[in-house]
PDB file of all heavy atoms in Angstrom:
ATOM      1  N   LEU A   9      -8.263  13.971  -7.929  1.00  0.00           N
ATOM      2  CA  LEU A   9      -8.423  15.263  -7.345  1.00  0.00           C
ATOM      3  C   LEU A   9      -8.786  16.357  -8.374  1.00  0.00           C
ATOM      4  O   LEU A   9      -8.188  16.491  -9.449  1.00  0.00           O
ATOM      5  CB  LEU A   9      -7.058  15.629  -6.695  1.00  0.00           C
ATOM      6  CG  LEU A   9      -7.095  16.290  -5.296  1.00  0.00           C
ATOM      7  CD1 LEU A   9      -7.910  15.502  -4.351  1.00  0.00           C
ATOM      8  CD2 LEU A   9      -5.691  16.418  -4.821  1.00  0.00           C
ATOM      9  N   SER A  10      -9.877  17.032  -8.016  1.00  0.00           N
ATOM     10  CA  SER A  10     -10.220  18.222  -8.862  1.00  0.00           C
ATOM     11  C   SER A  10     -10.530  19.402  -7.864  1.00  0.00           C
ATOM     12  O   SER A  10     -11.129  19.238  -6.813  1.00  0.00           O
ATOM     13  CB  SER A  10     -11.396  17.908  -9.689  1.00  0.00           C
ATOM     14  OG  SER A  10     -11.156  16.939 -10.627  1.00  0.00           O
ATOM     15  N   VAL A  45      -1.943  21.141  -4.858  1.00  0.00           N
ATOM     16  CA  VAL A  45      -1.955  19.770  -4.463  1.00  0.00           C
ATOM     17  C   VAL A  45      -1.563  19.679  -2.979  1.00  0.00           C
ATOM     18  O   VAL A  45      -2.124  19.097  -2.143  1.00  0.00           O
ATOM     19  CB  VAL A  45      -0.996  18.984  -5.288  1.00  0.00           C
ATOM     20  CG1 VAL A  45      -0.851  17.539  -4.598  1.00  0.00           C
ATOM     21  CG2 VAL A  45      -1.465  18.762  -6.729  1.00  0.00           C
ATOM     22  N   ASN A  50      -2.744  19.170   2.884  1.00  0.00           N
ATOM     23  CA  ASN A  50      -2.634  19.697   4.085  1.00  0.00           C
ATOM     24  C   ASN A  50      -4.072  20.044   4.748  1.00  0.00           C
ATOM     25  O   ASN A  50      -4.191  20.365   5.841  1.00  0.00           O
ATOM     26  CB  ASN A  50      -1.818  20.998   4.146  1.00  0.00           C
ATOM     27  CG  ASN A  50      -0.383  20.625   4.077  1.00  0.00           C
ATOM     28  OD1 ASN A  50       0.349  21.333   3.304  1.00  0.00           O
ATOM     29  ND2 ASN A  50       0.087  19.792   4.938  1.00  0.00           N
ATOM     30  N   GLN A  85       6.543  27.530  -0.232  1.00  0.00           N
ATOM     31  CA  GLN A  85       7.224  28.107  -1.308  1.00  0.00           C
ATOM     32  C   GLN A  85       7.785  29.463  -0.957  1.00  0.00           C
ATOM     33  O   GLN A  85       8.940  29.826  -1.262  1.00  0.00           O
ATOM     34  CB  GLN A  85       6.235  28.315  -2.469  1.00  0.00           C
ATOM     35  CG  GLN A  85       6.825  28.781  -3.823  1.00  0.00           C
ATOM     36  CD  GLN A  85       5.834  28.663  -4.955  1.00  0.00           C
ATOM     37  OE1 GLN A  85       4.756  28.076  -4.751  1.00  0.00           O
ATOM     38  NE2 GLN A  85       6.166  29.137  -6.067  1.00  0.00           N
ATOM     39  N   VAL A 101       7.862  25.064  18.445  1.00  0.00           N
ATOM     40  CA  VAL A 101       6.473  25.081  17.958  1.00  0.00           C
ATOM     41  C   VAL A 101       6.252  23.896  17.001  1.00  0.00           C
ATOM     42  O   VAL A 101       5.275  23.238  16.961  1.00  0.00           O
ATOM     43  CB  VAL A 101       6.185  26.386  17.208  1.00  0.00           C
ATOM     44  CG1 VAL A 101       4.839  26.376  16.665  1.00  0.00           C
ATOM     45  CG2 VAL A 101       6.283  27.574  18.205  1.00  0.00           C
ATOM     46  N   GLU A 124       9.842  16.719  30.139  1.00  0.00           N
ATOM     47  CA  GLU A 124       9.346  16.737  28.625  1.00  0.00           C
ATOM     48  C   GLU A 124      10.170  17.852  27.891  1.00  0.00           C
ATOM     49  O   GLU A 124      10.572  17.672  26.792  1.00  0.00           O
ATOM     50  CB  GLU A 124       7.864  16.996  28.651  1.00  0.00           C
ATOM     51  CG  GLU A 124       7.282  16.866  27.337  1.00  0.00           C
ATOM     52  CD  GLU A 124       5.735  17.263  27.321  1.00  0.00           C
ATOM     53  OE1 GLU A 124       5.502  18.463  27.263  1.00  0.00           O
ATOM     54  OE2 GLU A 124       4.958  16.290  27.479  1.00  0.00           O
ATOM     55  N   PRO A 153      19.859  35.131   6.942  1.00  0.00           N
ATOM     56  CA  PRO A 153      19.809  35.259   5.552  1.00  0.00           C
ATOM     57  C   PRO A 153      18.882  34.104   4.947  1.00  0.00           C
ATOM     58  O   PRO A 153      18.586  33.108   5.636  1.00  0.00           O
ATOM     59  CB  PRO A 153      21.234  34.933   5.051  1.00  0.00           C
ATOM     60  CG  PRO A 153      21.899  34.312   6.259  1.00  0.00           C
ATOM     61  CD  PRO A 153      21.236  34.729   7.422  1.00  0.00           C
ATOM     62  N   GLY A 181      15.753  30.439  -4.800  1.00  0.00           N
ATOM     63  CA  GLY A 181      16.584  31.503  -4.175  1.00  0.00           C
ATOM     64  C   GLY A 181      17.900  31.047  -3.619  1.00  0.00           C
ATOM     65  O   GLY A 181      18.567  31.888  -2.939  1.00  0.00           O
ATOM     66  N   GLU A 209       9.664  21.214  -7.179  1.00  0.00           N
ATOM     67  CA  GLU A 209      10.910  21.933  -7.455  1.00  0.00           C
ATOM     68  C   GLU A 209      11.049  22.286  -8.939  1.00  0.00           C
ATOM     69  O   GLU A 209      10.638  21.533  -9.792  1.00  0.00           O
ATOM     70  CB  GLU A 209      12.135  21.122  -7.054  1.00  0.00           C
ATOM     71  CG  GLU A 209      13.484  21.781  -7.168  1.00  0.00           C
ATOM     72  CD  GLU A 209      13.489  23.086  -6.516  1.00  0.00           C
ATOM     73  OE1 GLU A 209      13.329  23.322  -5.354  1.00  0.00           O
ATOM     74  OE2 GLU A 209      13.702  24.154  -7.317  1.00  0.00           O
ATOM     75  N   GLN A 240      12.402  12.396 -18.802  1.00  0.00           N
ATOM     76  CA  GLN A 240      13.200  13.245 -19.724  1.00  0.00           C
ATOM     77  C   GLN A 240      12.990  12.934 -21.139  1.00  0.00           C
ATOM     78  O   GLN A 240      13.153  13.835 -22.012  1.00  0.00           O
ATOM     79  CB  GLN A 240      14.750  13.065 -19.349  1.00  0.00           C
ATOM     80  CG  GLN A 240      15.112  13.840 -18.081  1.00  0.00           C
ATOM     81  CD  GLN A 240      16.565  13.572 -17.758  1.00  0.00           C
ATOM     82  OE1 GLN A 240      17.414  13.328 -18.593  1.00  0.00           O
ATOM     83  NE2 GLN A 240      16.805  13.649 -16.461  1.00  0.00           N
ATOM     84  N   VAL A 254      14.186  20.760 -19.520  1.00  0.00           N
ATOM     85  CA  VAL A 254      14.475  19.317 -19.341  1.00  0.00           C
ATOM     86  C   VAL A 254      15.828  18.937 -19.969  1.00  0.00           C
ATOM     87  O   VAL A 254      16.543  18.193 -19.373  1.00  0.00           O
ATOM     88  CB  VAL A 254      13.324  18.469 -19.961  1.00  0.00           C
ATOM     89  CG1 VAL A 254      13.650  16.977 -19.861  1.00  0.00           C
ATOM     90  CG2 VAL A 254      12.031  18.816 -19.368  1.00  0.00           C
ATOM     91  N   GLU A 255      16.133  19.705 -21.043  1.00  0.00           N
ATOM     92  CA  GLU A 255      17.386  19.381 -21.661  1.00  0.00           C
ATOM     93  C   GLU A 255      18.614  19.661 -20.761  1.00  0.00           C
ATOM     94  O   GLU A 255      19.702  19.045 -20.806  1.00  0.00           O
ATOM     95  CB  GLU A 255      17.528  20.114 -22.918  1.00  0.00           C
ATOM     96  CG  GLU A 255      16.897  19.266 -24.168  1.00  0.00           C
ATOM     97  CD  GLU A 255      16.518  20.190 -25.274  1.00  0.00           C
ATOM     98  OE1 GLU A 255      17.159  21.230 -25.506  1.00  0.00           O
ATOM     99  OE2 GLU A 255      15.559  19.785 -26.014  1.00  0.00           O
TER     100      GLU A 255
END
Side-chain angles (χ1 to χ4, degrees):
Chain A
L9 220 51
S10 295
V45 171
N50 284 134
Q85 187 167 352
V101 175
E124 190 184 82
E209 185 49 62
Q240 283 175 32
V254 178
E255 272 156 29

